[in-house]
Amino acid sequence: MNELKIEPYYNQPNENSFLYRYLTIDKLLDLLLSERISLVRLNLFDDKLEGSSLKHLRLNHFSELAKKDMQKQGGTFASISLTVNPTERNKRSRQRELFQDTNYASCWYIDNYESVAMWQLYSKPDSVAIKIPYKVLNKELLEGNFEINGKYEKLKFVAISYHRFKNIANVEKNNIETDIQGFIKDSSFDHEREFRIMVENKDSEKKYLENRGVLLDEDVDKLNNFNEIKVKYLKFNNFKKLPFEIIYHPECQEWHKKNIEKIISQFNIKFEIHDSELKNIFK
């Protein structure tokens, strides 16, 4: 039986906030059928700096500055390829890669109002958003009213802290409390206003490297790929009792709304369902 450690960090949303997830119709069906949300492995996200730490960013920055200063001195330094602090930088890069490979996240939008940008970036006209009060979801997580498939050691949830990664002087001023691995992102992503639920599993999936030489390399790669766990699922124990709302995409057509209503009714779910507050903006 998994022994789960639940860690709600300091940077929590306002208790009167709402959380939104913008879903394609297939993900809505999975939510309704299985009463669960997906948590995707971090190394499958678009942001390749997932899991970076502010310490790692500072190390890289000042190492590159030192390299440039040395090259300006001329002589041997100007004619050879330099890498400053390679051991420590490699160590931190490998830590980030391991973190990405063993952590899974579900991302939500925090606000009291829908987002045009989020509709445009993460949905289609036949999509929906689900909405739930933050304090309700927070209570369910803290009380452990859920199940997670497979192995896991820790569940963490917090609002993302955004930093201008290139502005090291600004990064230096930030309180070290904001340097929580997996919960910092570059400020170019701050339109996402992200609240993240993350599950950690330090026991990565079995790798078949020991079979190289016995099997063809391409067969070993196929085995490793087959055994990878790319998604975990958090299943709500009180799913049908939770005050989820379902919001139609602002450009959703009437016939599609009727189909969604039929689907909801067949699941005997009492979720409120309604038009987007931004419907007129998309006309």
Side-chain angles (χ1 to χ4, degrees):
M1 184 173 184
N2 286 303
E3 190 173 321
L4 181 64
K5 183 178 181 182
I6 300 175
E7 294 186 355
Y9 288 113
Y10 78 101
N11 191 27
Q12 295 296 318
N14 181 289
E15 68 170 10
N16 295 319
S17 297
F18 288 88
L19 300 176
Y20 296 79
R21 268 184 65 79
Y22 294 79
L23 304 176
T24 55
I25 194 66
D26 57 323
K27 290 183 178 179
L28 173 65
L29 288 172
D30 185 66
L31 173 73
L32 298 175
L33 280 167
S34 305
E35 303 181 357
R36 67 187 187 183
I37 59 172
S38 59
L39 299 105
V40 179
R41 202 173 62 205
L42 291 186
N43 59 5
L44 300 176
F45 284 23
D46 291 335
D47 182 6
K48 299 310 175 187
L49 291 179
E50 285 286 355
S52 293
S53 68
L54 299 182
K55 290 180 181 178
H56 188 185
L57 296 170
R58 287 196 292 267
L59 174 66
N60 286 348
H61 174 75
F62 290 113
S63 297
E64 289 302 307
L65 287 181
K67 170 183 172 180
K68 290 177 182 178
D69 287 341
M70 293 169 71
Q71 289 173 330
K72 286 178 183 178
Q73 295 175 22
T76 303
F77 290 139
S79 58
I80 63 173
S81 177
L82 286 175
T83 303
V84 179
N85 295 324
T87 302
E88 186 64 20
R89 292 172 73 179
N90 281 336
K91 175 184 174 183
R92 291 187 181 275
S93 291
R94 289 166 188 158
Q95 287 173 342
R96 183 184 67 214
E97 290 172 4
L98 177 62
F99 188 87
Q100 290 180 355
D101 195 44
T102 56
N103 280 269
Y104 301 74
S106 175
C107 307
W108 299 68
Y109 177 78
I110 311 164
D111 210 341
N112 291 334
Y113 197 53
E114 297 168 43
S115 165
V116 170
M118 298 301 285
W119 278 122
Q120 292 176 330
L121 288 169
Y122 297 107
S123 69
K124 301 175 182 178
D126 63 352
S127 301
V128 300
I130 58 170
K131 174 183 176 183
I132 189 169
Y134 158 72
K135 60 186 176 183
V136 173
L137 189 61
N138 180 62
K139 182 173 182 290
E140 293 297 302
L141 295 176
L142 284 177
E143 294 181 357
N145 293 325
F146 57 83
E147 299 172 6
I148 299 173
N149 66 306
K151 294 181 178 179
Y152 53 85
E153 288 95 27
K154 188 183 295 183
L155 181 138
K156 300 169 278 188
F157 52 95
V158 71
I160 294 291
S161 293
Y162 296 96
H163 306 272
R164 178 64 69 187
F165 285 174
K166 289 291 184 181
N167 187 344
I168 296 299
N170 183 57
V171 168
E172 291 262 89
K173 295 176 184 176
N174 280 286
N175 191 310
I176 198 65
E177 282 185 318
T178 65
D179 193 6
I180 305 172
Q181 193 171 18
F183 294 101
I184 64 167
K185 297 185 77 168
D186 187 76
S187 56
S188 57
F189 290 95
D190 63 8
H191 62 280
E192 295 178 348
R193 298 178 59 88
E194 184 181 337
F195 175 83
R196 176 173 290 188
I197 303 169
M198 193 157 67
V199 169
E200 182 177 18
N201 172 24
K202 290 183 178 177
D203 294 328
S204 57
E205 295 78 29
K206 182 178 180 181
K207 302 295 183 183
Y208 288 84
L209 296 175
E210 66 272 17
N211 289 321
R212 291 193 186 279
V214 179
L215 301 174
L216 291 173
D217 283 354
E218 53 263 38
D219 290 334
V220 173
D221 291 338
K222 287 178 183 177
L223 278 170
N224 286 335
N225 186 60
F226 178 79
N227 282 278
E228 282 185 336
I229 300 173
K230 296 180 173 64
V231 182
K232 287 184 175 288
Y233 297 98
L234 186 155
K235 183 179 175 68
F236 294 103
N237 294 337
N238 301 319
F239 178 71
K240 291 186 178 180
K241 296 180 180 178
L242 296 177
F244 280 110
E245 296 178 38
I246 297 176
I247 305 167
Y248 298 124
H249 189 283
E251 295 181 294
C252 186
Q253 297 184 32
E254 290 301 320
W255 66 268
H256 191 65
K257 292 179 185 179
K258 288 184 171 61
N259 285 339
I260 293 176
E261 288 173 3
K262 288 179 182 178
I263 291 171
I264 299 298
S265 65
Q266 289 176 3
F267 283 97
N268 192 30
I269 294 174
K270 306 300 182 183
F271 296 162
E272 183 180 333
I273 182 166
H274 54 79
D275 285 334
S276 167
E277 298 167 313
L278 305 177
K279 183 177 179 180
N280 293 332
I281 292 178
F282 281 73
K283 285 187 175 180

